[in-house]
Amino acid sequence: MHAATLKDDAHPTLTLMAHHTPLAMVIIDPLSDRLIDANTAACQLLLIHEQPLTTPFSHRLSASLPLWVSFTDEVLTTGQGWSDDLVLLDSVRQPRHVEVYGKRLHDSSKLLLTVIDRNKAEQRRAKAELSRQHRQGEVGWQRVEQVFERIEKQNQLILSAAGEGIYGLDAEGKTTFVNPAAERILGWSTEDMVGHDAHLMFHHTHADGSHFPVQQCPIHASFSDGQVHHVDDEVFWHKNGEAIPVEYTSTPIFEMGRLVGAVVLFRDIRERKRAEQQLRDALEEVESLKRRLELENQYLQEEIKAEVNHRNIVGNSPAVAKLIQQIAMVAPTGANVLISGESGTGKELIARAIHAGSGRSDRPLIRVNCAAIPRDLFESEFFGHVKGAFTGAMQDRPGRFELAHGGTLFLDEVGEIPLELQSKLLRVLQDQQFERVGDNRTREVDVRVIAATNRELKEMIDAGQFREDLYFRLNVFPIDSVPLRKRIEDVPLLARYFLHRACLKFNKPGVRIPPAQLDVLTRYPWPGNIRELENVIERQVIVTQDQRLSFDDLLLVEPLSRHTAFNETSHDSSELPDHLLTEQALCHQQRCNALKALKAANGKVSGAGGAAELLGMKPTTLTSRLRKWGIDPRQYRRRQRKSTSANDTLN
C-alpha cells in the first residue's frame, strides 16, 4: 500500500510539498488518540503500511505517554510546542528517539507534527562537522585512520590483559571475538569459536545435565529486550566436557539505534565455589559441635542438679562393703558392667561411682532410660540421625553413643531395648562403630557401657526376648544391687543422711529422729527400697510440727487376707481392724494394698485378673494412684520358667 499524503484540496502545492519533503510529518488528534494522516517520510520512519490506523496512537508511545500528554496539552493551549524527550515505537516495536515540532491546525483539536529521528540527525551533523574540518585542513583522513588504529590497538591490549573472559556475539548468537582469558577458561581457541553459535558450543546444558533451551538463555534475551542481564550461578562447558561454574554479565550492543549483538563478560568461580563449600562444611561442623556441646552441657547440668546421694554410697553393712570393693576393682579397667537389682536400690548411684573412679571421669556419663524411649525412636536416640532421615528430622542430631564418646554410657532398664535393635547395639559394643539413621558414613566411638536392669535377663533369653550374645557382652562384670531389706542395718545411717538433706532442702533445721523411731524404721521391710526411705523421710520433715519425726504409721499395716487386701469395697465391720487409722496411715495402707495387688497380678493393672479387678476399682483410678505414688507396674512383672517336672510330661 502506498503511503498517504497530507490532504488539503485547497492548497495542492502544499500537499505536494508535504508528500516530497524529507521531513516526517503527521496529523494527530490527541483527544480521540488517532493518527489522522502521515506523509511518505513519516510512513518510512514509523513503518506505517496502511491508513487510517485502527490502533490508538498512544500504543506507539511506550514509556513516553506522560511526556506526550504534557506536550500535546502545551500545543493545544499555546498553539505550538517542541520536545526532544519523546520515544516513538515503529510497527515492529523498535524505539525511535525523536525531536518533535507541533502546531495546532486552525481552531480544531488536530495537531500537525514534524518528527525528526534524533540518531540520524546527530549522524548527519557529525558527518557535516567532519567534512568541514577536513575541508579546513584541521584533520586529515590519514590522521583519522591513525586515531582509529590506535583506539583499536588499545582495545586489543585491554581485552588481552583482562582476567575475565570476554566474547562478543552478533544478533544471531554467533561469536564475533574472543579474548585470551575466555580461551584459557573454556579450552576453545578463537578459531574454534568465531563464527559459531556460542550457546550450542558451551552453554547448551544446565549444571544438572538437563537441556538449556536457547529461548531461556539470559544472554540471548539481551538481543530482544535490550537489557543488561547478570547471572550469579550458571555453568559454561569446557571443551573437555567439564562443567565450569561461572557468573556473567550480558550487555546489548546498539548500532544506529538497532540491537546488533551483545558482549558477555564472565568469571570462573570454581575457587569461590570451593571456598563456599569449605565454609559450609566448616559451619556445619561448628554447628554439629555446638549441638553436641549443648547436649553434653544439658547432661552435665542434670548431673549438677542431681541429688547428693548420687555421688556417695551410704552404709557400713557387709553388703555395702562388698559393693564398694567391687566398684574399686572394676572402675579403672574400662570393662562393661551389668548392674542387677530391684527398683530403688541405687543402680544409677553405682554406675556413677564406677564412672567417677575410671579414667573417663573427665568426660560425661550419659544416661539413657531405655524404658522411656518410644519404640520407633530407639535407633535415632542411640545413634543419631541426619537431616531428612525421617519426618521431623529438621537437622543433623548426634545420638547418645556419639555424646558419650570418650566417656561412659549408662543404659538404665536395658531389658526394655527392642529385640530388633539389640543386634545394632551388639555391633557397637564389639566394633565401636555405628551409622546415624539415614547416613551411610561409619563413625567410630570410644564408649564404656554400664547397663542396669530390674528384670531377669536370663529368663528373657529363654523366652526369646533378649539376645544371649548381647547379655554376655554386657555382663563382663556383674554387680548385684542389694535391696534395703537385706542390709537393714544401714537404715539408721541412711535415715540420718536423708534427714540432713531434707532439712537443708526444705529449710527446716533442728528436726531429729528419736531412737525409738529409728527402731521403727528398721522393722519396716521397705518394698520400695532406698527411694521409698528417702521419700518417707522427706514427707515426715514436711508435715512435722514438733521437730521430731514419727514413723509409727509404717507398722500399722498388718498382713491381710487375700479377700480383705484386694476388696476395698467390703463394708463388713468384722473385717476392719479394732483401732482407728489416721488419714496418713490409711493412705499408706492403700499403697501397700495396691503393691500386693500388683504382685498378685504379675504387674497387670487392667483387664481380667488385673490389680484393678482384684481391688474392685476402676483401672483409671488405680493408674492415677500409682502415678501419684511413683510406682511403675512393670517392676512387679515376673517371668515363669518352663517346668520340666515329670508331671508336665504325663498325659
Side-chain angles (χ1 to χ4, degrees), residues 47-68:
L47 302 182
I48 299 173
H49 301 296
E50 59 179 355
Q51 294 187 56
L53 294 181
T54 57
T55 57
F57 185 71
S58 59
H59 287 188
R60 294 178 174 272
L61 295 168
S62 184
S64 299
L65 183 59
L67 297 174
W68 167 257

Side-chain angles (χ1 to χ4, degrees), residues 622-639:
L622 178 57
T623 301
S624 176
R625 290 184 183 180
L626 294 176
R627 188 180 297 112
K628 176 182 177 182
W629 294 328
I631 297 174
D632 186 353
R634 291 178 296 182
Q635 299 173 2
Y636 296 90
R637 296 174 185 169
R638 62 179 181 275
R639 301 291 178 184

Side-chain angles (χ1 to χ4, degrees), residues 291-306 311 348 352 364-369 373 381 397-404 408-410:
R291 288 194 296 269
R292 176 172 176 173
L293 288 174
E294 287 175 348
L295 289 172
E296 287 185 2
N297 181 63
Q298 177 183 340
Y299 287 112
L300 291 174
Q301 290 297 326
E302 290 177 359
E303 289 189 22
I304 292 172
K305 295 177 182 178
R311 288 174 168 76
E348 183 176 351
R352 291 185 181 278
L365 180 143
I366 304 299
R367 176 180 179 271
V368 184
N369 185 355
I373 302 175
E381 194 69 24
R397 184 179 187 275
R400 303 296 178 94
F401 270 94
E402 208 166 338
L403 292 173
T408 304
L409 184 66
F410 176 46

Side-chain angles (χ1 to χ4, degrees), residues 406-478:
T408 304
L409 184 66
F410 176 46
L411 301 179
D412 198 7
E413 300 190 53
V414 70
E416 303 297 331
I417 298 178
L419 188 62
E420 61 270 16
L421 186 66
Q422 292 176 18
S423 60
K424 295 186 178 181
L425 177 59
L426 180 63
R427 181 203 169 191
V428 181
L429 297 180
Q430 290 175 336
D431 304 331
Q432 297 283 289
Q433 293 180 341
F434 70 96
E435 290 87 29
R436 288 181 178 179
V437 177
D439 195 8
N440 55 11
R441 171 190 167 190
T442 299
R443 303 170 188 264
E444 295 187 356
V445 289
D446 175 21
V447 175
R448 180 187 196 174
V449 174
I450 300 176
T453 181
N454 59 7
R455 302 180 64 175
E456 287 291 341
L457 294 185
K458 290 185 178 180
E459 294 182 4
M460 294 182 64
I461 292 172
D462 293 340
Q465 297 174 338
F466 202 85
R467 291 180 62 108
E468 186 175 28
D469 48 3
L470 176 59
Y471 170 77
F472 288 122
R473 181 64 64 173
L474 292 173
N475 197 35
V476 175
F477 192 92

Side-chain angles (χ1 to χ4, degrees), residues 170-243:
D170 60 20
E172 296 179 354
K174 290 182 170 53
T175 309
T176 56
F177 70 88
V178 181
N179 78 331
E183 292 180 301
R184 183 180 66 255
I185 295 172
L186 298 174
W188 301 94
S189 66
T190 300
E191 292 75 16
D192 293 332
M193 297 176 64
V194 172
H196 295 86
D197 191 309
H199 185 83
L200 295 178
M201 182 172 287
F202 55 81
H203 201 200
H204 45 75
T205 307
H206 289 292
D208 60 2
S210 61
H211 177 60
F212 195 166
V214 69
Q215 297 84 358
Q216 300 175 7
C217 178
I219 296 174
H220 280 250
S222 298
F223 303 157
S224 58
D225 60 18
Q227 302 295 318
V228 176
H229 291 269
H230 182 77
V231 177
D232 290 323
D233 189 7
E234 271 191 16
V235 295
F236 286 169
W237 293 90
H238 193 274
K239 186 176 182 179
N240 62 11
E242 177 188 359

Side-chain angles (χ1 to χ4, degrees), residues 9 75 98 596:
D9 296 338
V75 177
V98 296
K596 292 180 181 179

Side-chain angles (χ1 to χ4, degrees), residues 515-524 526 551-555:
Q517 295 300 314
L518 285 176
D519 182 63
V520 172
L521 293 178
T522 59
R523 286 187 286 140
Y524 182 70
W526 299 110
F551 304 100
D552 291 333
D553 292 341
L554 287 175
L555 302 180

Side-chain angles (χ1 to χ4, degrees), residues 319 428 545 592:
V428 181
Q545 300 295 326
C592 293

